[in-house]
Amino acid sequence: MITLGIETSCDETSCAVLRGKDEILSNVVSSSLFRHKPFGGVVPEIASRHSLEQIDVVYQEALSQAGIRADEIDLVAVTRGPGLIGSLFVGLCFGKALSYQLGKPLVGVNHLEAHIAANFIGREEPAKYIGLLVSGGHTSITYHTKGKVKILGETVDDACGEAFDKVAKLLGLGFPGGPIIDKLARRGNPKAYSFTLPKQDNPLDFSFSGVKTAVLHLVQKQTSITPDFQQDVAASFQTAAVNWLIKKTLKAAALKAVKVIVVGGGVSANSFLREELTKLSGEENKEVWFPAMPLTGDNGAMIARRGIDLYQKGFKSDLKLGADPNLTVN
Ligand code: KG4
Ligand code: ZN
């Protein structure tokens, strides 16, 4: 079975072709990041216009790299939310038109579920696991068993990736901040500054707004922002944020007595999170799965992979399928 996955929920425009569940024939991504950089964040109108401009080019390139014709597509999977409404519409309209033209089934995919499903390209989904979703817009810990998902904890304010981006902005490091902080933190002293773990009513919930304010106060006290200061704050912030993620994720894994932890979302690319969670999970006899690096950010392959799961479970969308900017995991 050949599946086309289409992703346009934010600043990336992507189409991918999967053969079966495991073989990525192509995964083409056109990012509009360079267009947002001058503004220090994603500008929704620019993102949707970029997707509109790029979607057909990206689709043609995905077919060409996969070496297939359009009529060989068996299933069209497309992101239906959450995300920016204008961007979502571009992919959704394209996917619906293609499904109608080819006479092939359409399935709408939840972007958050797809980030976790990126781990199941080339690996069977475990029967029971804890999911850790860490992206630019979402942070949650979920319990997955027999195809059902339960949210155990989520952020009450900023998402983890958003916190990386905001801290980087405060330090004058540019956008997006996650990869910059990841790199810079390697040279900094992680013990230079300490940040207090906020207390939550639900111990598996997260809050990242306090640490952002703490960094703001540190910056305000400086007469000048030196490279040493930037790298020490980057290292201290990253250590605190990642340790919170790990502590809560391991707590959830112990609570539900699961052996496997599956991580997804843009922040799953973070080198310190990958090293540290792998080490600490091993010490507790747990296994941790991260997506392959090219599948950590937004991409069509993860949408195709999740679409196949849904289709095989009997889900099918019709041409009335709508975009839902606030879609959650259920
Ligand atoms: O999943 P994603 O590509 O888009 C959303 O669905 O939001 O996540 C983007 C987020 C951004 O906040 C970005 O700064 C963060 O992922 N990110 C990272 C790293 N690479 C990307 N955060 C920390 N370390 C990284 N290496
Ligand atoms: Zn994403």
Side-chain angles (χ1 to χ4, degrees):
M1 183 164 107
I2 297 281
T3 305
L4 177 80
I6 305 169
E7 155 62 33
T8 63
S9 69
C10 191
D11 52 334
E12 263 89 36
T13 307
S14 178
C15 287
V17 177
L18 248 70
R19 182 187 284 136
K21 283 180 164 185
D22 296 320
E23 201 185 341
I24 301 176
L25 299 183
S26 63
N27 189 20
V28 179
V29 181
S30 164
S31 176
S32 60
L33 257 184
F34 71 100
R35 293 182 157 165
H36 304 288
K37 274 186 205 274
F39 304 95
V42 173
V43 182
E45 182 65 21
I46 294 179
S48 59
R49 281 170 188 254
H50 179 91
S51 281
L52 201 55
E53 230 177 74
Q54 292 290 304
I55 187 76
D56 190 50
V57 182
V58 167
Y59 163 67
Q60 299 296 346
E61 183 62 23
L63 291 189
S64 155
Q65 284 187 18
I68 63 155
R69 295 183 318 270
D71 62 8
E72 291 177 84
I73 296 170
D74 299 303
L75 174 67
V76 178
V78 60
T79 306
R80 68 183 181 97
L84 303 172
I85 188 74
S87 299
L88 286 168
F89 269 140
V90 174
L92 205 64
C93 293
F94 193 87
K96 283 196 217 178
L98 199 63
S99 148
Y100 180 72
Q101 182 211 358
L102 299 172
K104 295 294 165 67
L106 174 76
V107 62
V109 171
N110 180 323
H111 180 88
L112 307 176
E113 294 171 2
H115 266 305
I116 295 290
N119 284 277
F120 311 138
I121 298 176
R123 279 188 293 208
E124 267 301 304
E125 179 172 3
K128 194 173 150 180
Y129 59 95
I130 289 292
L132 172 66
L133 176 78
V134 272
S135 73
H138 295 83
T139 306
S140 61
I141 296 180
T142 42
Y143 175 49
H144 303 244
T145 176
K146 297 182 193 127
K148 289 210 164 64
V149 189
K150 188 174 183 307
I151 297 178
L152 301 180
E154 54 195 336
T155 182
V156 298
D157 41 52
D158 293 350
C160 184
E162 193 180 352
F164 270 85
D165 295 340
K166 287 181 175 171
V167 165
K169 199 171 181 177
L170 289 171
L171 292 171
L173 291 173
F175 171 81
I180 306 172
I181 290 200
D182 189 353
K183 219 168 138 197
L184 204 65
R186 292 180 174 278
R187 301 202 297 268
N189 173 10
K191 294 195 176 124
Y193 303 97
S194 64
F195 301 103
T196 330
L197 177 64
K199 286 242 176 327
Q200 305 299 139
D201 291 340
N202 171 4
L204 298 180
D205 275 348
F206 297 97
S207 166
F208 290 102
S209 70
V211 64
K212 180 190 67 191
T213 312
V215 171
L216 172 67
H217 290 153
L218 284 175
V219 169
Q220 283 170 341
K221 274 195 232 146
Q222 296 295 308
T223 42
S224 71
I225 308 285
T226 62
D228 278 354
F229 175 74
Q230 285 175 320
Q231 64 198 37
D232 284 349
V233 175
S236 304
F237 158 74
Q238 178 175 271
T239 306
V242 167
N243 283 340
W244 295 339
L245 293 176
I246 294 178
K247 190 172 163 192
K248 288 170 190 260
T249 306
L250 290 179
K251 187 180 243 174
L255 193 77
K256 295 293 181 190
V258 305
K259 290 281 289 177
V260 186
I261 294 161
V262 178
V263 191
V267 185
S268 71
N270 185 269
S271 60
F272 182 60
L273 175 65
R274 289 175 95 99
E275 278 158 32
E276 203 66 4
L277 185 54
T278 304
K279 188 181 95 196
L280 296 177
S281 303
E283 286 172 10
E284 298 198 8
N285 258 330
K286 314 264 183 228
E287 214 179 288
V288 58
W289 293 11
F290 286 96
M293 280 303 272
L295 302 180
T296 55
D298 294 346
N299 66 87
M302 70 183 194
I303 304 301
R305 179 65 187 80
R306 180 63 185 152
I308 297 166
D309 271 349
L310 292 170
Y311 184 66
Q312 289 183 340
K313 282 180 189 155
F315 288 96
K316 245 172 91 175
S317 305
D318 59 27
L319 295 181
K320 292 197 202 100
L321 177 69
D324 184 349
N326 302 314
L327 191 66
T328 53
V329 174
N330 49 48

